[in-house]
Amino acid sequence: MDAEFDYDLTPDQWETLKALRLPTHQRRVISRSILAQLAALDLVTLQGESPVITPRGRKVLIRGSSKLLDLAA
């Protein structure tokens, strides 16, 4: 995997990143502390009060999806 997108995210961080793909009204409650962690990695940004996945966050999610299969097992 390309080192630029190789992040060792916790299961909660992965779940939050995945949740941000959903429309706002379909999302579960998202932890502000996890959002802050993802924002520090430039994977999420806050637009007003709404968290938005960044282009880098999308790439990490797509490239890291094989790791997510391990979490489901």
Side-chain angles (χ1 to χ4, degrees), residues 2-17:
D2 188 316
E4 180 182 358
F5 300 110
D6 191 12
Y7 290 88
D8 189 21
L9 300 179
T10 67
D12 288 338
Q13 290 170 326
W14 279 117
E15 288 301 317
T16 299
L17 204 54

Side-chain angles (χ1 to χ4, degrees), residues 44-63:
V44 170
T45 187
L46 288 177
Q47 293 182 352
E49 288 293 316
S50 299
V52 177
I53 191 168
T54 64
R56 176 176 288 203
R58 289 189 190 286
K59 290 177 185 175
V60 167
L61 188 58
I62 291 168
R63 294 182 67 111

Side-chain angles (χ1 to χ4, degrees), residues 4 16 18-20 32 38 63 66 71:
E4 180 182 358
T16 299
K18 288 187 331 184
L20 292 176
R32 289 285 181 190
L38 293 172
R63 294 182 67 111
S66 62
L71 295 176

